Amino acid sequence: MIPARFDYHRPDSVAAAVGLLQQHGDEARVVAGGHSLIPMMKLRMAAPAHLVDLQGIAALRGIEAGERIRIGAMVTQSEMIAHAGLAEAAPILAEAARQIADPQVRNLGTVGGNVANGDPGNDLPALMLCLDATFTLEGPEGVREVAARGFYEAPYVTAREEEEILTAVGFDRPARGFAYEKQKRKIGDYATAAAAVLIGAEGGRVVSASVAMTNVADVPVFSAAAGEALVSTDCAADAVAAAVAAMQGDIDPVEDNRGPVEFKRHVAGVILTRAIARAWSRA
Amino acid sequence: MSDKMHLKLTVNGEAVETLAEPRELLIHVLRERLGITGPHIGCETSHCGACTVDMDGKSVKACTVFAAQAQGAEITTIEGIGTPDSLHVLQEMFREHHGLQCGFCTPGMITRAWRLLQENPSPTEEEVRFGMAGNLCRCTGYQNIVKAVLAAAHELNSVKEAAE
């Protein structure tokens, strides 16, 4: 319950925050909503000597919902759920965010923290793979864009360098058919398995499909093969079965108190089947 | 490292100041430095919501906010929602519908419900259950809490309609 001591900083620009990270090296951590970091600090699994609070940086807020969608890293889950333009442009975000944590946590937990954390239990990473999002990172060398599909390397290991800050996520307006389907033990739990699905359709046929899975491997999983199995079909049972089989070839669940490996593989199949059905019904 | 900081907050409408280390959790500052002991601590993993307070217009778990992060914030706790002589409608309805037994989750429950009814003045039962899902209770089984919140919503809406 009791975190270790630290010095607190509240910079008002990304440049100042990056400067603090440069100055203090691996002694420093940024805090966004604090709803993964503070619990870790209370258990002394993290004990940064310097905490760099991003709440005072206006440039990290704001949602742009045009043909290209951009969400500032400090936008909270609640703000994402409440945003009318986003609900119209990319309703999969609110559908997923409503399945993350609980109201109080969603009021402080941010998009940037969720995607940068690197815990395979987080839901937004797989969603970002499904959306083919890019992450904007700002560090001492300047700004760079990294594809979400190349960002996740291992649990808590991502392409973000230590002195970089993830400032925004961006993606093109997604296909109309969407679903984020999550199996969990209770409110606030990380997924036993969850599936993000986007389907574009024309004339009763799938013209584009994107599938990604949450918490069924060390990292979020984008299954290109599952999407390909749906393209040109009408999402009949055989096509869905082929997509599920393809997805199950790409995942690598680990046993924990949510169940053994075989159970998770099975749940992943059930969840993907449901997600495809719902996305298809909306496409 | 981590000298005490001069913390300025507005708590239940009153400007307050105290010294606190940056690492002190808002719940501890409220309870131990400011003597506001309605909000409780039921866990160390941010699940139970017994520490729920309202910070700058949002329900938050005060066990997962550092004092330093709360610098300058406006906080409302159960103590600011009603008084023993003048209960808030939610407090009346929790009593009338038996929405509490041990009372340990109640300050967080009511503080959350208070904000929920501002976000959604006429929630369905399902919306109340979803909107209160960040608050655990070990005594009531939730049913009477839901009744209390729905009754309070009804009451508040009737008062509002009568005024219009």
Side-chain angles (χ1 to χ4, degrees):
Chain A
M1 185 72 183
I2 308 298
R5 292 190 172 86
F6 57 81
D7 278 344
Y8 174 79
H9 310 269
R10 196 187 287 194
D12 60 8
S13 70
V14 175
V18 169
L20 286 161
L21 295 185
Q22 280 185 283
Q23 188 184 340
H24 299 293
D26 61 9
E27 297 271 273
R29 287 286 296 271
V30 300
V31 63
H35 277 54
S36 295
L37 180 60
I38 297 174
M40 297 279 266
M41 291 173 69
K42 286 160 69 174
L43 297 169
R44 304 276 175 125
M45 293 167 77
H50 294 270
L51 204 60
V52 179
D53 188 348
L54 303 180
Q55 71 167 289
I57 305 177
L60 297 178
R61 302 195 179 273
I63 295 173
E64 295 161 25
E67 278 313 299
R68 181 79 180 167
I69 292 154
R70 183 187 176 282
I71 304 174
M74 287 293 282
V75 169
T76 65
Q77 313 293 348
S78 292
E79 287 166 348
M80 198 160 62
I81 291 167
H83 195 274
L86 201 58
E88 198 270 316
I92 194 171
L93 288 169
E95 177 159 299
R98 283 174 57 84
Q99 299 178 66
I100 296 172
D102 62 49
Q104 289 94 318
V105 175
R106 289 193 291 268
N107 282 338
L108 291 178
T110 65
V111 172
N114 196 293
V115 302
N117 188 28
D119 186 330
N122 288 120
D123 290 289
L124 295 185
L127 183 53
M128 294 298 149
L129 302 187
C130 185
L131 289 160
D132 197 13
T134 54
F135 299 156
T136 306
L137 300 169
E138 188 165 340
E141 315 296 319
V143 177
R144 67 184 178 119
E145 304 273 335
V146 176
R149 290 178 187 172
F151 188 72
Y152 297 97
E153 297 168 0
Y156 301 102
V157 181
T158 68
R160 186 183 64 80
E161 300 291 341
E162 242 172 36
E163 295 174 350
E164 285 180 321
I165 292 169
L166 191 154
T167 59
V169 303
F171 48 90
D172 291 335
R173 184 182 280 246
R176 218 171 54 234
F178 72 92
Y180 191 78
E181 183 82 21
K182 178 176 177 179
Q183 174 65 38
K184 59 185 189 226
R185 297 171 299 179
K186 57 182 166 51
I187 285 280
D189 194 21
Y190 284 149
T192 304
V197 174
L198 288 165
I199 294 177
E202 270 171 34
R205 296 272 154 183
V206 175
V207 294
S208 66
S210 180
V211 172
M213 304 295 296
T214 294
N215 218 17
V216 283
D218 279 354
V219 291
V221 175
F222 171 65
S223 179
E228 282 158 19
L230 296 174
V231 172
S232 304
T233 75
D234 61 356
C235 281
D238 57 339
V240 174
V244 166
M247 174 278 290
Q248 285 170 330
D250 287 340
I251 64 173
D252 187 14
V254 293
E255 177 167 350
D256 60 17
N257 52 15
R258 293 183 183 87
V261 170
E262 276 315 298
F263 174 70
K264 291 189 172 184
R265 298 184 73 79
H266 173 74
V267 171
V270 171
I271 289 306
L272 179 56
T273 302
R274 288 181 191 166
I276 292 170
R278 196 158 75 245
W280 177 243
S281 75
R282 290 161 162 169
Chain B
M1 193 202 292
S2 60
D3 290 337
K4 280 184 184 162
M5 60 189 287
H6 188 185
L7 195 64
K8 295 184 182 183
L9 303 170
T10 303
V11 181
N12 297 327
E14 197 181 325
V16 296
E17 300 183 24
T18 185
L19 292 174
E21 285 184 44
R23 67 161 170 166
E24 285 181 47
L25 297 165
L26 177 59
I27 187 65
H28 289 133
V29 171
L30 289 170
R31 289 179 54 82
E32 292 167 18
R33 296 205 180 270
L34 300 173
I36 296 168
T37 56
H40 290 142
I41 300 170
C43 74
E44 59 174 10
T45 50
S46 312
H47 286 101
C48 79
C51 64
T52 297
V53 302
D54 202 84
M55 182 169 86
D56 294 332
K58 299 184 288 199
S59 298
V60 304
K61 294 180 177 179
C63 76
T64 315
V65 177
F66 287 125
Q69 294 174 291
Q71 177 70 280
E74 279 192 35
I75 311 284
T76 301
T77 69
I78 188 65
E79 288 87 349
I81 288 177
T83 66
D85 297 330
S86 171
L87 294 182
H88 187 274
V89 172
L90 268 164
Q91 291 164 320
E92 286 281 8
M93 292 299 119
F94 267 67
R95 183 175 67 180
E96 188 170 321
H97 292 273
H98 306 286
L100 69 151
Q101 289 180 36
C102 83
F104 195 84
C105 77
T106 314
M109 283 285 178
I110 291 182
T111 307
R112 171 60 195 139
W114 180 75
R115 177 53 58 188
L116 174 65
L117 293 186
Q118 293 175 63
E119 294 163 350
N120 181 359
S122 303
T124 63
E125 176 180 340
E126 192 185 344
E127 287 167 345
V128 170
R129 290 182 182 274
F130 187 72
M132 304 283 292
N135 295 75
L136 298 181
C137 173
R138 304 196 77 160
C139 300
T140 64
Y142 302 102
Q143 188 69 17
N144 287 349
I145 291 175
V146 175
K147 280 186 196 166
V149 175
L150 290 171
H154 183 75
E155 193 76 12
L156 289 165
N157 288 335
S158 303
V159 170
K160 204 169 133 201
E161 273 166 34
E164 275 164 10

